[in-house]
Amino acid sequence: DNVNIPTGSTGVRIVDGEENGTALYLTDGEVGIGTATPTDKLQIDAPHSQLRLRDTDDGTYTHFSSSYGKLAVRQDSTTADHLWLLANGNVGIGIAAPDTLLHVKASSGIAELKIESDDNDTKLWFDTGANTKASYLIFQDEGVNENRIASYNEGYGTASMQSSLAFYTDAATDGFSATAPKMIIDKDGNVGIGTSSPSSTLEVIGSFRVSDVGGAEDTKYAEHHWNNTDDNYYINAVGFPADTNRIGFQIDGTSAMSIAKTRNVGIGIV
C-alpha cells in the first residue's frame, strides 16, 4: 500500500509491531532508521550501525558497519577484515588498524599488489611535493627496517646526494644514515660503492674482485683503475690472445711492468 504524508506534516513514523521498536521515519524526502531527524537521504542510527546488501540470486551479501569512527566493508561476513576506513583517512585491506594511508596485510599466504593495463603502460608514482625531500622503498622484517632504496630530490642534503638513487642494506643493524649508502647512482650516472660521492663512472672504496667465468678468448679482460690529482694507475689482466696472457701495471697509460704467463717479468715493456 501507499503511504501518503499529509500536506503540512513534518513526517511519518512507521514501526513494526512494537511501539518501542526501531522506527522508520520519512521526513522531507529523507529516510531515517532509528532517527526522526535524518540529515541525508538515508541515515541509520544504531549502536554499531550496520547495512546489508543481499543478492537473492545466490544469497551472497555485502556488509557495511560503522562503529567508533571506523567503516568496515565485508563480503559474505560480519567479522572479516576485508576493508576498513578510519576517521583519519587511513585505509586498511586485511587489517582493522592501518597505520598508514594504505595498509595491506595478508592473514595467510603471500601479500601481493598488482597493477595491470589491458593495452598501455603501467606506472607507480612517488611525488614528495618538495624538492628537498626523498622517496623511499623500505623492506622490513617483522616491523624492523632492514633494507631500503631512496630517491633523493634535487634540493636534498649535500650536492653529491641530490637527484641520486641510493641503496641501503641491514639498516636496522648499521643504523640508517642518508649519507652512508652501500651503493649510489648519482645524477651524472656515476656509480659509487662504499662512497656517496663517486667521481668516475664506477668508484669503489674497499676491496673488490673481478672474475672471468668463461666465454670467448677475446672477452677475458679485467682492469682496476685508481687515480689521484697527479697520476692515473692501472692494473689489468689480459686473457687474449692466448699466447700473450699477462698481468700489466700502467702509470698514465704507459706500461710500467708486465708479468707474462711464463712468469717472466718485464719492466717498461709489454
Side-chain angles (χ1 to χ4, degrees), residues 93-144:
I93 298 177
I95 183 170
D99 55 17
T100 55
L101 285 175
L102 176 60
H103 191 163
V104 180
K105 181 179 180 180
S107 58
S108 62
I110 299 174
E112 297 180 87
L113 294 177
K114 186 175 183 178
I115 302 175
E116 183 177 356
S117 171
D118 285 338
D119 187 24
N120 213 323
D121 299 337
T122 57
K123 299 179 180 180
L124 182 62
W125 292 87
F126 295 83
D127 189 349
T128 63
N131 71 351
T132 58
K133 303 300 181 180
S135 300
Y136 298 93
L137 280 176
I138 299 176
F139 306 89
Q140 292 187 323
D141 179 6
E142 296 182 350
V144 178

Side-chain angles (χ1 to χ4, degrees), residues 5-38:
I5 302 176
T7 303
S9 301
T10 58
V12 62
R13 177 173 179 264
I14 303 172
V15 295
D16 184 12
E18 298 180 5
E19 178 66 22
N20 295 326
T22 300
L24 171 68
Y25 296 87
L26 305 176
T27 305
D28 294 329
E30 295 172 341
V31 178
I33 299 176
T35 175
T37 56

